[in-house]
């Protein structure tokens, strides 16, 4: 998130002012106060962490030229302002379709892509990893505050995403025909917790809150990579999606992630200041 360097409140015209337009590694994401950073293809989580450190630093340096700073977290601890959408046609269409609920999607996540050799292996890994997604959510929880107060959840982001038409529980995919029907030929508009991405040759796991710590980011990336590779080695029957929803709700409410607990120990205003310091640490 791009924020005012002094108040640490979200920047109302951040991305357009700082970057103007997308680059290969630094892109807009729905709201003006958001920045999406994308690593190149890497072999190891350690490489991913190194790339992310470099990209965060680049964003921070360019933001500082405009009196802005950067926060990495699942939700802003104190913000109560409405942030304009980035002037991108796709986002304007989403606003027309979804109305006011789109304005609540001011949350940030960690998305990890794991390369897989073929579509069949990807579908097998997808179903095998579904039962493990709630544990990833619980360990990554980093969004306990909403509108400046404790939300009652360690990950309020996990609930906010459910307001999207394709948010939360992944559908059962038994074949690529199922994938085509579910994606409706637009896989960029899916918000499920995990999702095959054939255009990249990957399985994308996106259930996690955005970590503040680069070390935590590296740890979670390593865990996702390991879980997906393990899941690719066996055929799993579809996990009961009702059970999944129960486990997901418990994970988001109770969590187990150290970053959410740290925020709650500090309170929203002190947590905000600490996030600003630790984002580049």
């Amino acid at each position: 998130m791009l924020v005012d360097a002094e108040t640490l409140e979200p920047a109302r015209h951040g991305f357009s002012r700082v970057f103007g337009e997308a680059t290969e590694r630094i892109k807009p994401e729905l709201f003006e106060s958001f920045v999406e950073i994308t690593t190149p293809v890497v072999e190891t989580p350690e490489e991913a962490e190194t790339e992310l450190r470099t990209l965060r630093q680049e964003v921070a340096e360019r933001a500082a030229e405009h009196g802005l700073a950067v926060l990495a977290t699942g939700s802003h601890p104190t913000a109560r302002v409405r942030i304009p959408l980035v002037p991108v046609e796709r986002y304007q269409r989403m606003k027309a379709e979804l109305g006011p609920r789109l304005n609540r999607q001011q949350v940030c996540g960690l998305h990890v892509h794991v390369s897989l050799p073929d579509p069949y292996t990807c579908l097998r890994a997808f179903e095998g990893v579904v039962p493990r997604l709630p544990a990833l959510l619980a360990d990554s929880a980093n969004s306990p505050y909403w509108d400046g107060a404790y939300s009652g959840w360690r990950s309020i982001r996990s609930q906010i995403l459910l307001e999207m038409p394709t948010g939360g529980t992944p559908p059962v995919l038994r074949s690529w025909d199922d994938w085509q029907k579910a994606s409706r030929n637009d896989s960029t508009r899916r918000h499920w917790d995990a999702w095959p991405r054939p255009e990249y040759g990957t399985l994308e796991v996106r259930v996690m809150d955005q970590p503040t710590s680069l070390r935590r980011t590296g740890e979670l990336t390593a865990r996702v990579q390991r879980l997906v590779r393990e899941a690719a080695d066996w055929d799993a029957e579809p996990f009961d999606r009702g059970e999944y929803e129960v486990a997901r709700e418990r994970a988001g409410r109770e969590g187990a992630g150290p970053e959410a607990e740290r925020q709650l120990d500090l309170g929203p205003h002190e947590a905000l200041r600490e996030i600003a310091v630790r984002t580049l640490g």
Side-chain angles (χ1 to χ4, degrees), residues 60-236:
E61 290 173 357
R62 294 183 64 177
E65 295 173 1
H66 298 267
L68 303 178
V70 183
L71 301 182
T73 186
S75 65
H76 193 289
T78 64
R80 300 182 178 213
V81 298
R82 175 178 288 188
I83 306 302
L85 295 180
V86 175
V88 172
E89 182 180 354
R90 180 162 67 95
Y91 298 148
Q92 298 302 323
R93 291 200 305 269
M94 290 175 66
K95 181 179 180 180
E97 293 171 13
L98 301 176
R101 61 181 155 166
L102 186 64
N103 294 325
R104 285 174 50 82
Q105 297 300 311
Q106 295 183 39
V107 290
C108 299
L110 170 64
H111 300 178
V112 178
H113 289 255
V114 181
S115 176
L116 293 162
D118 56 71
Y120 175 74
T121 304
C122 185
L123 285 179
R124 185 168 58 191
F126 166 73
E127 194 55 56
V129 84
V130 165
R132 295 158 176 79
L133 297 177
L136 287 170
L137 170 60
D139 287 349
S140 71
N142 194 28
S143 55
Y145 297 113
W146 191 251
D147 283 343
Y150 177 45
S151 65
W153 299 78
R154 279 4 185 219
S155 172
I156 188 59
R157 170 183 167 273
S158 67
Q159 296 305 295
I160 295 294
L161 291 177
L162 295 180
E163 298 174 14
M164 299 296 282
T166 57
T169 302
V172 174
L173 302 177
R174 296 181 181 275
S175 69
W176 279 107
D177 285 341
D178 289 344
W179 183 91
Q180 293 281 4
K181 292 174 184 176
S183 68
R184 300 174 189 169
N185 298 316
D186 185 2
S187 64
T188 66
R189 290 287 301 279
R190 308 304 100 199
H191 304 91
W192 287 294
D193 296 337
W195 192 232
R197 299 299 297 270
E199 67 270 38
Y200 301 129
T202 65
L203 176 64
E204 179 183 5
V205 175
R206 52 188 297 154
V207 70
M208 297 158 291
D209 280 5
Q210 173 62 59
T212 300
S213 162
L214 283 160
R215 180 184 58 79
R216 280 296 288 162
T217 303
E219 291 171 349
L220 289 164
T221 300
R223 185 171 170 187
V224 170
Q225 185 182 66
R226 182 175 66 255
L227 289 175
V228 171
R229 297 276 166 80
E230 290 173 353
D233 287 338
W234 70 81
D235 288 308

Side-chain angles (χ1 to χ4, degrees), residues 7-109:
T7 67
L8 301 182
E9 290 301 299
R12 289 185 53 80
H13 301 285
F15 190 91
S16 296
R17 178 156 51 121
V18 175
F19 301 100
E21 58 185 23
T23 67
E24 184 180 10
R25 301 291 167 219
I26 301 174
K27 304 172 184 178
E29 177 50 59
L30 196 55
F31 297 103
E32 279 282 4
S33 59
F34 286 2
V35 179
E36 178 183 357
I37 56 177
T38 307
T39 72
V41 176
V42 296
E43 293 290 333
T44 68
E46 292 78 16
E47 291 178 77
E49 184 178 335
T50 297
E51 292 288 345
L52 286 171
R53 185 181 302 278
T54 299
L55 286 165
R56 281 193 190 184
Q57 190 63 48
E58 180 181 349
V59 171
E61 290 173 357
R62 294 183 64 177
E65 295 173 1
H66 298 267
L68 303 178
V70 183
L71 301 182
T73 186
S75 65
H76 193 289
T78 64
R80 300 182 178 213
V81 298
R82 175 178 288 188
I83 306 302
L85 295 180
V86 175
V88 172
E89 182 180 354
R90 180 162 67 95
Y91 298 148
Q92 298 302 323
R93 291 200 305 269
M94 290 175 66
K95 181 179 180 180
E97 293 171 13
L98 301 176
R101 61 181 155 166
L102 186 64
N103 294 325
R104 285 174 50 82
Q105 297 300 311
Q106 295 183 39
V107 290
C108 299

